[in-house]
PDB file of all heavy atoms in Angstrom:
ATOM      1  N   GLU A 339      -1.381  14.848 -24.950  1.00 93.00           N
ATOM      2  CA  GLU A 339      -0.658  13.587 -25.266  1.00 93.00           C
ATOM      3  C   GLU A 339       0.019  13.638 -26.608  1.00 93.00           C
ATOM      4  O   GLU A 339       0.891  12.788 -26.841  1.00 93.00           O
ATOM      5  CB  GLU A 339      -1.772  12.507 -25.358  1.00 93.00           C
ATOM      6  CG  GLU A 339      -2.340  12.118 -24.019  1.00 93.00           C
ATOM      7  CD  GLU A 339      -3.300  13.127 -23.471  1.00 93.00           C
ATOM      8  OE1 GLU A 339      -3.802  13.975 -24.240  1.00 93.00           O
ATOM      9  OE2 GLU A 339      -3.639  13.073 -22.229  1.00 93.00           O
ATOM     10  N   GLU A 340      -0.183  14.656 -27.373  1.00 93.00           N
ATOM     11  CA  GLU A 340       0.492  14.768 -28.675  1.00 93.00           C
ATOM     12  C   GLU A 340       1.686  15.676 -28.606  1.00 93.00           C
ATOM     13  O   GLU A 340       2.161  16.157 -29.698  1.00 93.00           O
ATOM     14  CB  GLU A 340      -0.490  15.233 -29.825  1.00 93.00           C
ATOM     15  CG  GLU A 340      -1.625  14.255 -30.075  1.00 93.00           C
ATOM     16  CD  GLU A 340      -2.579  14.924 -31.077  1.00 93.00           C
ATOM     17  OE1 GLU A 340      -3.264  15.784 -30.713  1.00 93.00           O
ATOM     18  OE2 GLU A 340      -2.636  14.381 -32.228  1.00 93.00           O
ATOM     19  N   ILE A 341       2.167  16.004 -27.522  1.00 91.00           N
ATOM     20  CA  ILE A 341       3.203  17.058 -27.331  1.00 91.00           C
ATOM     21  C   ILE A 341       4.449  16.718 -28.073  1.00 91.00           C
ATOM     22  O   ILE A 341       5.101  17.630 -28.604  1.00 91.00           O
ATOM     23  CB  ILE A 341       3.486  17.287 -25.811  1.00 91.00           C
ATOM     24  CG1 ILE A 341       4.319  18.579 -25.625  1.00 91.00           C
ATOM     25  CG2 ILE A 341       4.179  16.029 -25.186  1.00 91.00           C
ATOM     26  CD1 ILE A 341       4.389  19.114 -24.258  1.00 91.00           C
ATOM     27  N   ASN A 342       4.885  15.413 -28.221  1.00 92.00           N
ATOM     28  CA  ASN A 342       6.101  15.131 -28.976  1.00 92.00           C
ATOM     29  C   ASN A 342       5.808  15.387 -30.501  1.00 92.00           C
ATOM     30  O   ASN A 342       6.843  15.809 -31.182  1.00 92.00           O
ATOM     31  CB  ASN A 342       6.472  13.738 -28.697  1.00 92.00           C
ATOM     32  CG  ASN A 342       7.192  13.501 -27.362  1.00 92.00           C
ATOM     33  OD1 ASN A 342       8.135  14.232 -27.056  1.00 92.00           O
ATOM     34  ND2 ASN A 342       6.719  12.595 -26.557  1.00 92.00           N
ATOM     35  N   ARG A 343       4.610  15.240 -30.936  1.00 92.00           N
ATOM     36  CA  ARG A 343       4.348  15.584 -32.311  1.00 92.00           C
ATOM     37  C   ARG A 343       4.527  17.054 -32.553  1.00 92.00           C
ATOM     38  O   ARG A 343       4.979  17.499 -33.559  1.00 92.00           O
ATOM     39  CB  ARG A 343       2.985  15.111 -32.746  1.00 92.00           C
ATOM     40  CG  ARG A 343       2.678  15.426 -34.145  1.00 92.00           C
ATOM     41  CD  ARG A 343       1.215  15.144 -34.547  1.00 92.00           C
ATOM     42  NE  ARG A 343       0.912  15.628 -35.867  1.00 92.00           N
ATOM     43  CZ  ARG A 343      -0.301  16.161 -36.214  1.00 92.00           C
ATOM     44  NH1 ARG A 343      -1.289  16.068 -35.360  1.00 92.00           N
ATOM     45  NH2 ARG A 343      -0.531  16.588 -37.451  1.00 92.00           N
ATOM     46  N   ALA A 344       4.133  17.862 -31.518  1.00 90.00           N
ATOM     47  CA  ALA A 344       4.246  19.338 -31.672  1.00 90.00           C
ATOM     48  C   ALA A 344       5.796  19.669 -31.784  1.00 90.00           C
ATOM     49  O   ALA A 344       6.127  20.542 -32.560  1.00 90.00           O
ATOM     50  CB  ALA A 344       3.709  19.967 -30.371  1.00 90.00           C
ATOM     51  N   PHE A 345       6.652  19.034 -31.005  1.00 88.00           N
ATOM     52  CA  PHE A 345       8.081  19.289 -31.195  1.00 88.00           C
ATOM     53  C   PHE A 345       8.517  18.950 -32.524  1.00 88.00           C
ATOM     54  O   PHE A 345       9.419  19.585 -33.095  1.00 88.00           O
ATOM     55  CB  PHE A 345       8.823  18.546 -30.038  1.00 88.00           C
ATOM     56  CG  PHE A 345       8.909  19.371 -28.713  1.00 88.00           C
ATOM     57  CD1 PHE A 345       7.962  19.075 -27.719  1.00 88.00           C
ATOM     58  CD2 PHE A 345       9.815  20.386 -28.565  1.00 88.00           C
ATOM     59  CE1 PHE A 345       8.013  19.801 -26.532  1.00 88.00           C
ATOM     60  CE2 PHE A 345       9.904  21.041 -27.335  1.00 88.00           C
ATOM     61  CZ  PHE A 345       8.955  20.789 -26.342  1.00 88.00           C
ATOM     62  N   ASP A 346       8.042  17.788 -33.090  1.00 89.00           N
ATOM     63  CA  ASP A 346       8.504  17.383 -34.360  1.00 89.00           C
ATOM     64  C   ASP A 346       8.091  18.371 -35.463  1.00 89.00           C
ATOM     65  O   ASP A 346       8.863  18.714 -36.305  1.00 89.00           O
ATOM     66  CB  ASP A 346       7.833  16.056 -34.719  1.00 89.00           C
ATOM     67  CG  ASP A 346       8.410  14.906 -33.886  1.00 89.00           C
ATOM     68  OD1 ASP A 346       9.525  15.000 -33.400  1.00 89.00           O
ATOM     69  OD2 ASP A 346       7.819  13.787 -33.774  1.00 89.00           O
ATOM     70  N   LEU A 347       6.883  18.890 -35.349  1.00 89.00           N
ATOM     71  CA  LEU A 347       6.388  19.935 -36.270  1.00 89.00           C
ATOM     72  C   LEU A 347       7.263  21.189 -36.211  1.00 89.00           C
ATOM     73  O   LEU A 347       7.646  21.771 -37.212  1.00 89.00           O
ATOM     74  CB  LEU A 347       4.934  20.277 -36.015  1.00 89.00           C
ATOM     75  CG  LEU A 347       3.886  19.219 -36.398  1.00 89.00           C
ATOM     76  CD1 LEU A 347       2.534  19.649 -35.781  1.00 89.00           C
ATOM     77  CD2 LEU A 347       3.729  19.102 -37.856  1.00 89.00           C
ATOM     78  N   MET A 348       7.672  21.559 -35.036  1.00 84.00           N
ATOM     79  CA  MET A 348       8.447  22.707 -34.825  1.00 84.00           C
ATOM     80  C   MET A 348       9.856  22.491 -35.403  1.00 84.00           C
ATOM     81  O   MET A 348      10.399  23.333 -36.162  1.00 84.00           O
ATOM     82  CB  MET A 348       8.649  22.987 -33.273  1.00 84.00           C
ATOM     83  CG  MET A 348       9.560  24.098 -32.927  1.00 84.00           C
ATOM     84  SD  MET A 348       9.813  24.297 -31.164  1.00 84.00           S
ATOM     85  CE  MET A 348      10.681  22.734 -30.822  1.00 84.00           C
ATOM     86  N   ALA A 349      10.481  21.308 -35.089  1.00 82.00           N
ATOM     87  CA  ALA A 349      11.795  21.032 -35.664  1.00 82.00           C
ATOM     88  C   ALA A 349      11.833  20.919 -37.166  1.00 82.00           C
ATOM     89  O   ALA A 349      12.834  21.201 -37.885  1.00 82.00           O
ATOM     90  CB  ALA A 349      12.310  19.742 -35.085  1.00 82.00           C
ATOM     91  N   GLU A 350      10.683  20.469 -37.809  1.00 83.00           N
ATOM     92  CA  GLU A 350      10.609  20.371 -39.239  1.00 83.00           C
ATOM     93  C   GLU A 350      10.246  21.667 -39.900  1.00 83.00           C
ATOM     94  O   GLU A 350      10.184  21.776 -41.136  1.00 83.00           O
ATOM     95  CB  GLU A 350       9.578  19.310 -39.554  1.00 83.00           C
ATOM     96  CG  GLU A 350       9.979  17.894 -39.128  1.00 83.00           C
ATOM     97  CD  GLU A 350       8.836  16.915 -39.187  1.00 83.00           C
ATOM     98  OE1 GLU A 350       7.696  17.342 -39.562  1.00 83.00           O
ATOM     99  OE2 GLU A 350       9.067  15.788 -38.816  1.00 83.00           O
ATOM    100  N   GLY A 351      10.022  22.708 -39.110  1.00 81.00           N
ATOM    101  CA  GLY A 351       9.611  24.006 -39.689  1.00 81.00           C
ATOM    102  C   GLY A 351       8.262  24.054 -40.336  1.00 81.00           C
ATOM    103  O   GLY A 351       7.977  24.865 -41.176  1.00 81.00           O
ATOM    104  N   LYS A 352       7.280  23.216 -39.758  1.00 84.00           N
ATOM    105  CA  LYS A 352       5.974  23.072 -40.354  1.00 84.00           C
ATOM    106  C   LYS A 352       4.945  23.857 -39.474  1.00 84.00           C
ATOM    107  O   LYS A 352       3.777  23.679 -39.818  1.00 84.00           O
ATOM    108  CB  LYS A 352       5.566  21.642 -40.485  1.00 84.00           C
ATOM    109  CG  LYS A 352       6.477  20.872 -41.519  1.00 84.00           C
ATOM    110  CD  LYS A 352       6.023  19.423 -41.597  1.00 84.00           C
ATOM    111  CE  LYS A 352       6.846  18.696 -42.562  1.00 84.00           C
ATOM    112  NZ  LYS A 352       6.435  17.183 -42.749  1.00 84.00           N
ATOM    113  N   CYS A 353       5.398  24.524 -38.564  1.00 87.00           N
ATOM    114  CA  CYS A 353       4.371  25.323 -37.686  1.00 87.00           C
ATOM    115  C   CYS A 353       4.942  26.582 -37.215  1.00 87.00           C
ATOM    116  O   CYS A 353       6.242  26.719 -37.087  1.00 87.00           O
ATOM    117  CB  CYS A 353       3.847  24.506 -36.563  1.00 87.00           C
ATOM    118  SG  CYS A 353       5.013  24.311 -35.173  1.00 87.00           S
TER     119      CYS A 353
END
Side-chain angles (χ1 to χ4, degrees):
E339 289 73 18
E340 297 176 287
I341 191 167
N342 283 309
R343 183 187 169 211
F345 275 97
D346 289 341
L347 289 169
M348 176 187 68
E350 295 165 3
K352 295 181 178 179
C353 73

